[in-house]
Structure formats: structure tokens, C-alpha cells
């Protein structure tokens, strides 16, 4: 079951999840345990703080209707402006935005939500399916500002499209052609996991949740606290 009384609860969960992801050592990535990586890691945490501030501010100002494009653009701009290493967490923004919009939409129908996972994923699918060309254009503006790597040759293979996210004209082209947000991810879904999550309503994430996370929840005590969460990032909620 999904249980939230406020959107702030969901945002705090996003903050914890993002911090755990960036602070967990992974081959080839920034490692918070390596001294030479610390200045990079600090910018990751600055970027995360900026994203959380953007999420919180957005839903404070938009309690009734959610625009996934506006949310993504606001968070991406603040993430870039908050630190000096460019795109650090655009993928986090893209993955969490539909989930938070889904929670927000459900909260508008009552003072709290207590729904099944199936109901939650259906709301996520509705959010993505109904994102229009303006959401898509705002997404393009966010990506242009963040300038993530690998857009020209994803996976080492040249990729061309009319809606090239490295082309400053792409937002205008998207608006002119009225391309819905979901359609933008169709071309890249075969090589990009985040695109595939949008197209397939988070099929990869759902599999992890259903086959590993939920079955193993009983292994975690509710009164145990992560030392990384409590000691490494003072702004995280206790």
C-alpha cells in the first residue's frame, strides 16, 4: 500500500532515496568514501538540496494541478545553478517527477491517500499519458540547460531525430508539431532506461519493488536508522 498524508512526506522520501543512491559506492561513479571524490560529492548533495527545494516550492504553489514539464524544468535549472559540475542528477528529476505528480493528484481527492500499488501505477501512467506538448517543450528546455552527456552518440551509436535535445530549436519544434511528452521518449526507449520507464510505466522499477523490495521489507527494522543518512547530510529529515 501507498500511504501519504502530505506531499512533503513523499518529497522527504525522494530526498532520502536520492541521497542513498548518490552515497552508495558504485564502479565508475563518484564515491563518497574516496577523498579525491569529495568535492564532486559535495556538488551532488548541493544539487540534491536544490532539487528538493524546487519540488517543495512547486507543490506549495501548485496544490491543485500538476504540470510535469514545469516541475522538471524548475528542478533542472535549480540543480544546475546550485553547483559547478553541471548535470549531476537530471536522471533523478526525470524519474521522480511523475511519481510526485501522481501522489499530488491523489492527495487532491482526500486529506490523505492509502492506495494499492496498482492504483498508484495507474495514476503515474495517467500523468505521463496526459502530459502535453507544452510539458514536452519544457522538458526539452530543461535538458538543453542541463546539457547531459551522451545525447549525440548514446551507447556509442549515432542518433538523429527531429527533436534533438542538443538543438536550441527543439522546444519550438515540439510546440509547433504538438508532440506529447510520452512520444518524445519513444525513439530513445530502446537504448535509454529512463525513457523506457516512461514508455512502460516504470516496468523495471516495478519489478525491483515487487520481486525484491517488498519481499525483503521484513528484514528491515523500523527503528533502525542509516548511519549515512544521519551523519553525512545534515539537511535530511530525521
Amino acid at each position: 500500500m501507498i500511504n501519504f498524508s502530505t506531499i512533503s512526506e513523499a518529497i522527504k522520501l525522494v530526498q532520502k532515496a536520492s541521497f542513498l543512491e548518490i552515497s552508495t559506492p558504485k564502479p565508475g561513479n563518484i564515491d563518497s568514501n574516496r577523498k579525491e571524490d569529495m568535492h564532486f560529492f559535495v556538488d551532488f548533495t548541493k544539487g540534491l538540496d536544490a532539487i528538493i527545494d524546487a519540488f517543495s516550492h512547486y507543490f506549495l504553489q501548485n496544490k491543485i494541478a500538476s504540470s510535469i514539464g514545469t516541475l522538471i524544468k524548475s528542478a533542472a535549472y535549480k540543480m544546475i545553478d546550485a553547483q559547478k559540475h553541471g548535470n549531476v542528477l537530471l536522471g533523478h528529476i526525470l524519474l521522480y517527477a511523475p511519481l510526485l505528480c501522481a501522489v499530488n493528484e491523489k492527495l487532491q481527492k482526500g486529506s490523505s491517500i492509502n492506495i494499492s500499488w496498482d492504483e498508484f501505477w495507474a495514476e503515474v501512467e495517467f500523468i505521463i499519458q496526459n502530459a502535453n506538448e507544452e510539458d514536452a517543450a519544457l522538458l526539452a528546455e530543461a535538458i538543453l540547460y542541463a546539457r547531459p552527456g551522451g545525447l549525440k552518440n548514446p551507447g556509442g551509436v549515432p542518433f538523429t531525430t527531429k527533436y534533438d535535445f542538443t538543438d536550441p530549436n527543439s522546444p519550438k519544434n515540439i510546440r509547433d508539431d504538438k508532440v506529447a511528452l510520452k512520444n518524445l521518449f519513444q525513439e530513445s526507449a530502446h537504448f535509454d532506461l529512463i525513457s523506457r520507464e516512461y514508455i512502460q510505466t516504470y516496468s523495471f522499477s516495478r519489478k525491483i519493488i515487487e520481486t525484491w523490495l517488498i519481499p525483503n521489507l521484513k528484514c528491515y527494522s523500523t527503528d533502525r536508522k542509516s548511519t549515512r543518512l544521519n551523519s553525512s547530510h545534515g539537511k535530511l529529515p530525521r
Side-chain angles (χ1 to χ4, degrees), residues 136-157:
L138 292 171
L139 166 70
E141 291 173 6
I143 294 176
L144 280 166
Y145 196 71
R147 299 175 62 187
L151 291 179
K152 282 294 185 182
N153 298 289
V157 178

Side-chain angles (χ1 to χ4, degrees), residues 176-208:
D176 289 346
D177 293 348
K178 299 186 181 304
V179 181
L181 183 142
K182 187 174 181 178
N183 292 340
L184 283 182
F185 290 109
Q186 291 282 0
E187 291 180 308
S188 55
H190 68 283
F191 62 79
D192 179 69
L193 179 57
I194 293 176
S195 299
R196 195 152 58 247
E197 291 288 77
Y198 270 70
I199 296 302
Q200 299 179 357
T201 317
Y202 289 72
S203 60
F204 179 80
S205 298
R206 292 172 74 167
K207 184 177 181 180
I208 295 297

Side-chain angles (χ1 to χ4, degrees), residues 56-67 70-71 104-105 108:
S56 299
H57 179 76
Y58 175 81
F59 286 110
L60 181 65
Q61 300 296 319
N62 300 273
K63 294 182 178 180
I64 298 177
S66 298
S67 165
T70 302
L71 179 61
N104 189 57
E105 289 298 315
Q108 306 319 307

Side-chain angles (χ1 to χ4, degrees), residues 24-38:
T24 299
K26 296 177 287 296
N29 282 20
I30 301 300
D31 187 344
S32 60
N33 295 317
R34 286 200 304 260
K35 185 177 180 180
E36 60 269 28
D37 282 350
M38 277 310 297

Side-chain angles (χ1 to χ4, degrees), residues 7 11 14 50-60 71-72 74-75 92-94 96-97 100:
I7 190 64
I11 293 172
V14 163
I51 291 167
I52 296 304
D53 286 344
F55 285 166
S56 299
H57 179 76
Y58 175 81
F59 286 110
L60 181 65
L71 179 61
I72 290 171
S74 172
H92 287 215
I93 296 170
L94 295 177
Y96 286 126
L100 289 174

Side-chain angles (χ1 to χ4, degrees), residues 15 78 110 124 126 130 152 229 231 234:
Q15 186 179 24
K78 289 191 175 184
V124 172
F126 177 84
N130 285 274
K152 282 294 185 182
L229 281 176
S231 64

Side-chain angles (χ1 to χ4, degrees), residues 17-226:
S18 285
F19 184 74
L20 285 172
E21 198 280 328
I22 65 177
S23 61
T24 299
K26 296 177 287 296
N29 282 20
I30 301 300
D31 187 344
S32 60
N33 295 317
R34 286 200 304 260
K35 185 177 180 180
E36 60 269 28
D37 282 350
M38 277 310 297
H39 63 295
F40 291 103
F41 181 71
V42 168
D43 275 357
F44 271 74
T45 61
K46 287 180 180 178
L48 175 55
D49 286 342
I51 291 167
I52 296 304
D53 286 344
F55 285 166
S56 299
H57 179 76
Y58 175 81
F59 286 110
L60 181 65
Q61 300 296 319
N62 300 273
K63 294 182 178 180
I64 298 177
S66 298
S67 165
I68 188 173
T70 302
L71 179 61
I72 290 171
K73 180 178 176 178
S74 172
Y77 273 54
K78 289 191 175 184
M79 178 264 294
I80 292 296
D81 293 345
Q83 42 76 44
K84 62 183 180 181
H85 280 108
N87 172 39
V88 289
L89 295 171
L90 179 62
H92 287 215
I93 296 170
L94 295 177
L95 285 172
Y96 286 126
L99 308 185
L100 289 174
C101 286
V103 171
N104 189 57
E105 289 298 315
K106 284 295 186 182
L107 282 170
Q108 306 319 307
K109 301 169 185 176
S111 58
S112 63
I113 59 174
N114 184 16
I115 59 175
S116 69
W117 280 102
D118 285 343
E119 290 178 276
F120 175 70
W121 292 122
E123 187 68 34
V124 172
E125 183 175 17
F126 177 84
I127 293 292
I128 295 173
Q129 189 67 41
N130 285 274
N132 59 24
E133 68 270 13
E134 183 59 24
D135 293 302
L138 292 171
L139 166 70
E141 291 173 6
I143 294 176
L144 280 166
Y145 196 71
R147 299 175 62 187
L151 291 179
K152 282 294 185 182
N153 298 289
V157 178
F159 179 65
T160 57
T161 172
K162 181 178 180 181
Y163 310 108
D164 183 353
F165 287 151
T166 65
D167 179 1
N169 293 317
S170 61
K172 181 181 184 302
N173 294 336
I174 290 167
R175 289 185 175 101
D176 289 346
D177 293 348
K178 299 186 181 304
V179 181
L181 183 142
K182 187 174 181 178
N183 292 340
L184 283 182
F185 290 109
Q186 291 282 0
E187 291 180 308
S188 55
H190 68 283
F191 62 79
D192 179 69
L193 179 57
I194 293 176
S195 299
R196 195 152 58 247
E197 291 288 77
Y198 270 70
I199 296 302
Q200 299 179 357
T201 317
Y202 289 72
S203 60
F204 179 80
S205 298
R206 292 172 74 167
K207 184 177 181 180
I208 295 297
I209 291 169
E210 293 166 4
T211 63
W212 183 82
L213 182 60
I214 292 176
N216 284 284
L217 281 176
K218 62 181 179 295
C219 300
Y220 297 88
S221 171
T222 56
D223 61 359
R224 286 175 55 193
K225 295 183 178 181
S226 166

